[in-house]
């Protein structure tokens, strides 16, 4: 099964991808994680995209397309995958449908006010990647591995606002694009990832 998770920045694509991956045994391909890993290792791509991401801009399509082409050809993707964060532009979406078929695009619908609130209260574990929302429960250290949680640079207020603007102008048109292709399924983002996952799961079990 080939799944695309679509939604605004910090709509919870990453959390849903992890839940799907655990239950359905599909690899999660998070373009954000791939780019951040490249930045951490200071690869050529990493050095190039670092300032783009930290300003809340989108990475150029040609780079993203190369990354995806390479990744979906890997051995673990032969039975399908979950795309988390790709495509984000019409160009990326058209290219994706040229090189592969997609079974479903799950659009996580959440208000822009909520998106901003979530991004600001998001913390991540730099060691294991676990994602936390500190608005309900304030914690400083990862409860899985104990590392001190950090805020992503691109989750700071000015950057998140810019990311939301980019989303509205560049990415939101994809909703209509996928709807016309009859691939779009919408889920409303609930209070917790587990609650949202119930709707996601129902869709996937019918595919
Ligand atoms: P979510 O919380 O819903 O998982 P997110 O806020 O974690 O979403 P990421 O997917 O991690 O967002 O993306 C972080 C940044 O990486 C983007 O703002 C953008 O600069 C870059 N990026 C990731 N995927 C793409 C893409 N497909 N095209 C262009 N830039 C991308
Ligand atoms: Mg993410």
């Amino acid at each position: 099964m080939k799944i695309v998770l679509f939604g605004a920045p910090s709509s919870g694509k990453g959390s849903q991808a992890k839940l799907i991956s655990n239950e359905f045994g599909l690899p999660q391909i998070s373009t954000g994680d791939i780019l951040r890993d490249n930045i951490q290792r200071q690869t050529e791509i990493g050095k190039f995209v670092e300032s783009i991401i930290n300003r809340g801009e989108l990475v150029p399509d040609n780079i993203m397309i190369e990354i995806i082409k390479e990744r979906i050809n890997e051995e673990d993707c032969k039975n399908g995958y979950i795309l988390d964060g790709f495509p984000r532009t019409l160009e990326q979406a058209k290219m994706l449908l040229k090189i592969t078929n997609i079974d479903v695009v799950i659009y996580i619908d959440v208000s822009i006010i909520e998106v901003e609130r979530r991004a600001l209260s998001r913390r991540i574990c730099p060691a294991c990647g676990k994602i936390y929302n500190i608005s309900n429960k304030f914690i400083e250290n990862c409860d899985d591995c104990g590392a001190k949680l950090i805020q992503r640079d691109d989750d700071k207020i000015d950057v998140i606002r810019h990311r939301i603007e980019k989303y509205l102008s560049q990415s939101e048109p994809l909703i209509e694009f996928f709807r016309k292709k009859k691939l779009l399924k919408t889920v409303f983002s609930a209070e917790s990832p587990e609650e949202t996952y119930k709707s996601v799961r129902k869709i996937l079990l019918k595919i």
Side-chain angles (χ1 to χ4, degrees):
M1 190 158 40
K2 294 174 186 168
I3 306 163
V4 168
L5 284 176
F6 183 80
S10 81
S11 55
K13 300 181 291 290
S15 303
Q16 293 308 310
K18 284 197 176 65
L19 292 165
I20 301 171
S21 177
N22 287 343
E23 180 170 353
F24 292 82
L26 296 169
Q28 169 190 6
I29 304 180
S30 160
T31 44
D33 288 349
I34 294 173
L35 295 169
R36 283 185 288 277
D37 175 62
N38 273 277
I39 294 174
Q40 211 173 12
R41 292 186 290 114
Q42 285 290 295
T43 64
E44 281 305 304
I45 289 184
K47 284 185 211 161
F48 181 77
V49 303
E50 186 162 15
S51 66
I52 300 178
I53 291 188
N54 289 341
R55 286 198 310 271
E57 301 284 337
L58 289 179
V59 172
D61 287 337
N62 60 335
I63 296 185
M64 296 316 302
I65 290 169
E66 279 316 304
I67 290 177
I68 285 296
K69 273 190 184 161
E70 207 174 291
R71 182 64 188 89
I72 64 177
N73 274 323
E74 281 175 34
E75 182 59 22
D76 64 333
C77 290
K78 66 179 190 307
N79 293 325
Y81 41 79
I82 309 154
L83 291 177
D84 153 18
F86 186 95
R88 261 180 159 94
T89 64
L90 267 177
E91 196 56 41
Q92 293 178 13
K94 286 180 187 159
M95 186 288 306
L96 181 67
L97 296 185
K98 266 191 202 141
I99 60 167
T100 185
N101 66 307
I102 291 293
D103 294 293
V104 65
V105 176
I106 298 183
Y107 164 46
I108 307 175
D109 192 351
V110 57
S111 75
I112 293 303
I113 292 175
E114 176 65 11
V115 159
E116 193 175 297
R117 198 179 64 83
R118 285 189 196 176
L120 294 176
S121 53
R122 172 161 58 187
R123 296 292 180 276
I124 55 165
C125 172
C128 72
K130 191 164 172 187
I131 309 161
Y132 293 86
N133 182 319
I134 57 161
S135 65
N136 318 321
K137 182 179 157 219
F138 185 76
I139 69 161
E140 274 187 284
N141 295 81
C142 178
D143 42 39
D144 280 354
C145 67
K148 191 167 169 22
L149 303 182
I150 56 163
Q151 182 178 37
R152 274 168 39 180
D153 285 335
D154 63 346
D155 277 343
K156 309 231 158 101
I157 184 77
D158 293 345
V159 184
I160 188 66
R161 291 213 166 124
H162 194 64
R163 290 171 65 197
I164 291 170
E165 277 170 27
K166 286 277 149 192
Y167 169 77
L168 294 174
S169 62
Q170 307 268 93
S171 309
E172 218 182 39
L174 296 193
I175 297 173
E176 259 326 289
F177 174 83
F178 285 123
R179 186 175 284 133
K180 284 193 183 129
K181 304 255 175 220
K182 306 218 181 312
L183 289 173
L184 197 82
K185 298 274 182 213
T186 302
V187 299
F188 293 96
S189 183
E191 259 307 296
S192 70
E194 290 72 23
E195 211 37 51
T196 308
Y197 184 61
K198 288 183 188 162
S199 316
V200 170
R201 189 171 184 271
K202 267 193 207 147
I203 293 169
L204 296 180
L205 290 175
K206 283 192 204 139
I207 286 167

